[in-house]
Amino acid sequence: MQISDLPYPDPGVPDARSGPRFLLWLGRGQLGGQLKSLAWGMLHFGGVAGLPYAVGLGVDAVVDRDADRLLLVGALLVVVGVAISVGDAMLHRTAVTNWITAAARVQQLLARKTAELGSALTRRVAAGEVVAVSTGDVEKIGWFVEAVSRFLAAVFSVVLVCVGLMFYAPELGVVVAAGVPVVALAALPLLPRATRRADIQREKAGRATELASDTVAGLRVLRGIGGEELFLGRYREASQEVRKAAVRSARMWALISAIQVVLPGLLLITVVWYGASLALDGRIAVGELVAAFSAVATLLYPLRHFEEIAQAYSFSRPSAQRAARVLSLTRTDAAERPAQAGPVGEPSAGGDLYDPRTGLLAPAGRFTAVVCGDPDLAGRLAERLGGHAVEEPDGDRDGGADRDGSDRSGGAALGGAADLGGGRDATDGPSVLLGGVALDDLDLDAARRLVLVQDKDPVLLSGTLRELFDVPASGAVDPGAALAAAQCADVLDALLQAAPDGVDDPMDARITERGRSLSGGQRQRLALARSLVTDPEVLVLDEPTSAVDSHTEARIADGIAALRAGRTTVVLASSPLLLDRADRVVLVDDGTVAAVGTHRELLHREPLYRAVVTRETDEEQRLAGLGLTELEEALTEIEESA
């Protein structure tokens, strides 16, 4: 893989069982690049290893006054120099290529996993950790992948120097061969402690990054309540903890580096002292002494790569562990269910959307509204209807269905099914069905194409309005019609007024990052228009009008009903204006369907529904159910108590 070929057509399926396994999988995926880097590294380090012997031969030629041999040594030095230069340049090129391609592969894998999990990702993994993995951790992983080939080439050169000395100057070669393993492995006992300190540093840095991300995301709110300094103080404390951990880690690595300098120095002194005594006794030639001295001095260069690979692994292992933890997440429990007999086909058009877990049924081609007393439960239900994985908070595991297996609306429900707000994971139990086909069994692209979920806090990416609507769509809905249905006329005017001179079409006006220049209601309506443009088989909207006024909300409700006529639409809301436009209203209580009917029917016969929609208190509900005489008596009691 060359850099020009990136991104990968398919980054592959990673081995995310652990950090080391993930690193090994990355290495196997780049075996060709690693072999190229190793070959150039062997050329470079081979030249480095051959340089001392060439110098020794040159010294012997000068001592013997052999001009012809000296010319040959000069030619040999030229060859060695070329090998060192070319090998170094190409080693750097191939090693950096390995680094970039490994980082690109990891980033592609993370991007694919983000697209697969959607908004469920940040509920299962902290947003700051995702940022840390996709930035700093990717660099650490790439560093280790890059360093492997250089380390192997360095090992080759060390072995070459030791073996060469055994033949060139056996008496000195034995000393060097015995001392080099001690020098190379002396720091090994310190590596576990250095690794632990590096892990602590990375953990603290990750927490600081998460805190910074959360602070920046909520800065407007923090300023509004005067909490900005409080959170900045917390971030300063977290930064100081990171600094202290980094200093402790650096001290250990400094000790390792010192060992890598002191021990080779001691070996060099030993070789010079012993070699000088041998030369004085006439047991070795001067050239052999110079060659041995140069060889040991040269070993300082490849031995530094032993420290580098240890440091790279200690830093990349926790980074790979975090990346593997994110990449191991799945959107469903499909891997744990029995394998299907064959490929699952897409459901036929016009199928009902049914959730066996809650008993919720959204008939095909109808506008269904869902009312939940708990907004968090509504958000989790919306994600579940879209086939997204949902992590549930701990709570009661008992389901809301009656133990006899029938729900309170008379429809079929799971006896004792887990509550959506209970402690079980939302991936437990049956999957949502569309036209009788489980969404969990569909290909991810097909599931996303058929069912679109817009949560209560949609995100607008920066760019022009035209780019915002450049999304996969059926083509049946024009952007203009979607904008009109979402009541975006004032939004278009605002964008056009803020646009630079020369921009006459609001579709060419730019939206700032996350739509921060727009109000909450304007962002919400643009997001709704974008969802309407896609024209999916099933559109699930979670509180799509919570940030707009009642008059605009009524017009939006009419626009959604008209534009989505004949298409399945599910709206989770408690606004009477939206509920009154729905063909069918479903009340979900305690994780299961409690009642089904029209808005007006449920207002009259379901006290719980009336309490949720009208915000009645318990006392108001009691008074609403009393007769005239009982009401007068209750009012008298209230007046007397007052």
Side-chain angles (χ1 to χ4, degrees):
M1 172 65 70
Q2 300 295 323
I3 295 178
S4 58
D5 298 328
L6 295 175
Y8 283 92
D10 179 11
V13 179
D15 185 348
R17 289 176 290 177
S18 66
R21 287 178 182 272
F22 181 62
L23 291 174
L24 181 61
W25 177 83
L26 277 177
R28 288 202 306 265
Q30 295 182 207
L31 191 58
Q34 292 287 0
L35 290 177
K36 288 181 181 179
S37 185
L38 177 60
W40 289 113
M42 291 174 67
L43 177 64
H44 169 65
F45 283 103
V48 171
L51 188 61
Y53 305 113
V55 172
L57 291 174
V59 171
D60 286 338
V62 172
V63 172
D64 296 339
R65 298 181 181 277
D66 190 337
D68 293 337
R69 189 151 47 111
L70 188 60
L71 288 175
L72 291 176
V73 171
L76 179 60
L77 286 173
V78 171
V79 173
V80 169
V82 171
I84 293 174
S85 301
V86 174
D88 187 29
M90 296 306 299
L91 172 62
H92 179 74
R93 178 185 177 90
T94 53
V96 171
T97 300
N98 289 335
W99 183 93
I100 294 176
T101 50
R105 186 192 293 271
V106 176
Q107 287 179 327
Q108 280 187 251
L109 291 170
L110 291 171
R112 186 174 68 181
K113 182 60 65 175
T114 302
E116 176 186 341
L117 295 178
S119 60
L121 175 62
T122 52
R123 285 197 295 270
R124 305 173 72 180
V125 180
E129 183 170 354
V130 177
V131 173
V133 170
S134 59
T135 54
D137 286 338
V138 167
E139 293 184 4
K140 299 296 187 299
I141 293 171
W143 177 27
F144 175 73
V145 173
E146 171 202 8
V148 167
S149 55
R150 290 206 308 270
F151 166 71
L152 293 177
V155 172
F156 165 76
S157 69
V158 170
V159 173
L160 190 63
V161 167
C162 293
V163 172
L165 276 179
M166 292 291 292
F167 286 95
Y168 187 73
E171 294 177 299
L172 289 176
V174 171
V175 176
V176 174
V180 165
V182 176
V183 173
L185 302 177
L188 196 60
L190 300 176
L191 289 180
R193 183 178 297 180
T195 301
R196 285 195 299 271
R197 292 189 179 186
D199 290 348
I200 294 173
Q201 177 195 351
R202 293 296 301 164
E203 181 181 352
K204 291 181 179 295
R207 284 202 295 264
T209 302
E210 293 174 19
L211 182 59
S213 300
D214 295 340
T215 303
V216 171
L219 195 57
R220 180 181 297 180
V221 177
L222 292 175
R223 286 174 175 170
I225 63 176
E228 181 181 3
E229 285 300 323
L230 174 63
F231 274 80
L232 288 177
R234 290 180 181 176
Y235 181 70
R236 291 190 190 99
E237 293 177 3
S239 298
Q240 289 302 313
E241 290 294 327
V242 174
R243 182 188 63 79
K244 293 176 182 177
V247 170
R248 293 186 73 246
S249 178
R251 286 173 179 167
M252 185 57 63
W253 287 111
L255 178 59
I256 293 175
S257 298
I259 291 175
Q260 293 294 323
V261 172
V262 171
L263 292 185
L266 293 176
L267 178 61
L268 181 62
I269 293 173
T270 301
V271 169
V272 171
W273 174 79
Y274 181 57
S277 63
L278 292 178
L280 289 175
D281 293 341
R283 296 166 60 184
I284 62 172
V286 176
E288 293 176 339
L289 174 61
V290 172
F293 169 80
S294 301
V296 175
T298 302
L299 283 177
L300 293 175
Y301 172 53
L303 284 175
R304 284 204 300 267
H305 291 79
F306 285 67
E307 175 194 352
E308 182 194 14
I309 194 65
Q311 190 171 8
Y313 179 74
S314 67
F315 277 89
S316 65
R317 187 183 59 80
S319 296
Q321 187 65 44
R322 278 189 290 272
R325 184 165 60 248
V326 174
L327 294 174
S328 64
L329 299 176
T330 57
R331 69 182 181 104
T332 67
D333 63 339
E336 299 177 3
R337 295 199 306 271
Q340 299 291 332
V344 178
E346 291 188 21
S348 58
D352 296 339
L353 183 69
Y354 177 64
D355 180 16
R357 185 169 175 182
T358 61
L360 173 62
L361 174 67
R366 304 286 296 280
F367 184 174
T368 302
V370 181
V371 176
C372 297
D374 182 2
D376 292 334
L377 187 149
R380 295 194 296 272
L381 178 57
E383 295 292 340
R384 176 170 168 78
L385 292 176
H388 296 269
V390 181
E391 287 288 336
E392 304 293 353
D394 292 335
D396 184 11
R397 292 178 180 267
D398 293 335
D402 294 335
R403 293 300 178 187
D404 60 0
S406 301
D407 69 343
R408 281 164 282 181
S409 66
L414 288 174
D419 186 345
L420 270 176
R424 291 177 63 188
D425 200 25
T427 56
D428 294 340
S431 168
V432 172
L433 305 177
L434 178 60
V437 178
L439 290 180
D440 289 354
D441 294 333
L442 291 175
D443 179 71
L444 180 61
D445 293 337
R448 294 291 181 267
R449 184 175 64 254
L450 292 169
V451 184
L452 173 66
V453 177
Q454 176 182 305
D455 60 26
K456 60 172 61 72
D457 187 22
V459 175
L460 301 181
L461 302 179
S462 60
T464 65
L465 191 58
R466 196 181 308 279
E467 292 170 343
L468 178 68
F469 286 93
D470 185 17
V471 294
S474 67
V477 177
D478 182 78
L483 288 166
Q487 300 299 308
C488 294
D490 63 315
V491 185
L492 299 180
D493 293 339
L495 288 174
L496 199 56
Q497 290 176 3
D501 296 338
V503 177
D504 300 325
D505 188 348
M507 297 298 291
D508 294 326
R510 293 195 66 81
I511 300 173
T512 57
E513 181 186 0
R514 300 179 68 90
R516 298 188 187 279
S517 60
L518 303 173
S519 67
Q522 289 174 329
R523 290 196 299 270
Q524 194 174 59
R525 282 178 282 161
L526 279 181
L528 174 59
R530 177 180 59 186
S531 298
L532 293 173
V533 162
T534 61
D535 188 40
E537 182 77 17
V538 178
L539 177 61
V540 180
L541 303 172
D542 184 11
E543 294 287 357
T545 58
S546 59
V548 301
D549 59 82
S550 57
H551 297 290
T552 305
E553 185 177 32
R555 293 194 294 270
I556 291 175
D558 291 333
I560 293 175
L563 196 62
R564 293 285 301 172
R567 305 287 270 173
T568 307
T569 305
V570 180
V571 177
L572 291 97
S574 58
S575 168
L577 294 172
L578 274 173
L579 299 174
D580 195 39
R581 267 70 171 182
D583 301 323
R584 190 170 183 266
V585 179
V586 180
L587 173 64
V588 176
D589 177 42
D590 202 21
T592 189
V593 172
V596 179
T598 64
H599 170 60
R600 298 178 189 274
E601 291 172 352
L602 295 179
L603 275 178
H604 285 90
R605 64 180 172 87
E606 289 292 337
L608 178 59
Y609 178 84
R610 186 167 57 249
V612 173
V613 173
T614 64
R615 275 56 169 190
E616 286 184 348
T617 63
D618 293 340
E619 183 65 22
E620 289 172 335
Q621 291 183 55
R622 187 180 69 83
L623 293 176
L626 296 177
L628 180 59
T629 303
E630 295 169 322
L631 182 60
E632 290 176 351
E633 294 176 355
L635 290 174
T636 302
E637 291 178 3
I638 293 174
E639 291 175 356
E640 291 176 353
S641 63

